[in-house]
Amino acid sequence: TFRKLRFQGKGSVALLAERSVHTVAVQLACLHSGFTLLPMDPAWPLGLVREILRSARPGLLLADQQAVFDELGLQAQRPSRHQLLCAEHPDPLGISPCASGEPPAYVIYTSGSTGEPKGVAVSRRALLAHALGAAAAYELRDEDRVLQFTAPGFDVAFEECIPTLASGGSLVERTGQMVEDLREFLRHVDRQAVTVLNIPSAFFHLLMEHMKEGAESMPRSVRL
């Protein structure tokens, strides 16, 4: 897609989309092409999205909803044979390179202690070191099937995706119904033969209470 758009040079790509195979593809494309990924959560208020875009000044915005561009006042185009909508942003990249001179792998915005959005840049070397460390710690293998639970705007999504794919494993997408119905969560994990769950502690505790009350057990496929 980047080739088709003729988007050349170093810069950042903002991503505002629900988790899907497309968001993972964009994640890998940015790493491969030397772009910095700026992932955002579609559930964030539009004002927060607008403030982050103003602060980071990405060269390209990818989104899965036409309404996003209408609300932000941006012109959208749909590349052929691709389901993500794209729009060029007029301002240059506003993120400084890492100390190594390489563009960051990604930038995550957090409120920090000030209550204002603040971008934190993560270098490619840091991401690589973390991916190798996580793959070794979790003993990921090519037969593993890892649940992709976290929203793209949270950097745990990188921990779910990069080590898994680098180890030859498969990602299993979480559905919206899985967080609303814990019984459905366990059923989906069982149906998809998920072997590794990397889920937030708050959700984990809810799941344990649900299993205890309903006398349900973790699907046999789960090893970690």
Side-chain angles (χ1 to χ4, degrees):
T1 299
F2 290 164
R3 286 198 299 269
K4 289 179 181 178
L5 290 173
R6 297 177 182 178
F7 186 59
Q8 305 293 337
K10 303 302 180 184
S12 62
V13 175
L15 175 64
L16 187 65
E18 299 288 349
R19 72 179 55 76
S20 71
V21 65
H22 299 298
T23 58
V24 177
V26 170
Q27 190 180 77
L28 296 176
C30 286
L31 290 172
H32 179 72
S33 305
F35 292 98
T36 296
L37 180 62
L38 173 60
M40 295 181 288
D41 192 333
W44 289 349
L46 187 63
L48 176 60
V49 172
R50 186 178 287 110
E51 177 61 23
I52 290 175
L53 290 175
R54 185 200 63 77
S55 171
R57 303 196 298 276
L60 193 70
L61 170 64
L62 302 180
D64 55 3
Q65 297 293 329
Q66 171 72 46
V68 169
F69 298 105
D70 296 338
E71 292 170 342
L72 292 172
L74 294 173
Q75 202 71 25
Q77 58 176 303
R78 187 187 297 271
S80 59
R81 301 178 63 187
H82 200 279
Q83 295 182 7
L84 288 176
L85 296 167
C86 306
E88 289 193 31
H89 198 280
D91 295 326
L93 174 67
I95 299 169
S96 301
C98 295
S100 63
E102 297 177 337
Y106 63 93
V107 173
I108 291 290
Y109 267 78
T110 171
S111 61
S113 58
T114 64
E116 297 292 331
K118 180 177 65 176
V120 177
V122 178
S123 72
R124 279 170 161 71
R125 293 184 182 187
L127 178 59
L128 174 60
H130 180 272
L132 294 175
Y138 302 155
E139 298 180 344
L140 296 176
R141 304 180 293 267
D142 56 4
E143 62 264 30
D144 274 320
R145 296 171 61 80
V146 180
L147 184 67
Q148 208 280 285
F149 184 97
T150 310
F154 187 37
D155 61 357
V156 174
F158 287 85
E159 180 174 286
E160 294 168 339
C161 297
I162 303 301
T164 300
L165 298 178
S167 303
S170 302
L171 289 170
V172 177
E173 183 180 344
R174 170 179 72 76
T175 65
Q177 188 179 2
M178 290 175 69
V179 294
E180 299 171 0
D181 185 341
L182 293 174
R183 182 165 295 179
E184 171 59 23
F185 179 90
L186 294 172
R187 288 174 180 170
H188 188 78
V189 168
D190 188 38
R191 285 194 300 265
Q192 295 295 328
V194 172
T195 63
V196 177
L197 294 176
N198 185 1
I199 55 181
S201 58
F203 185 85
F204 176 80
H205 289 302
L206 288 175
L207 183 62
M208 293 301 102
E209 287 297 321
H210 168 79
M211 291 168 60
K212 182 179 178 180
E213 293 172 1
E216 295 185 70
S217 59
M218 188 68 72
R220 297 181 64 180
S221 62
V222 178
R223 68 167 184 82
L224 181 65

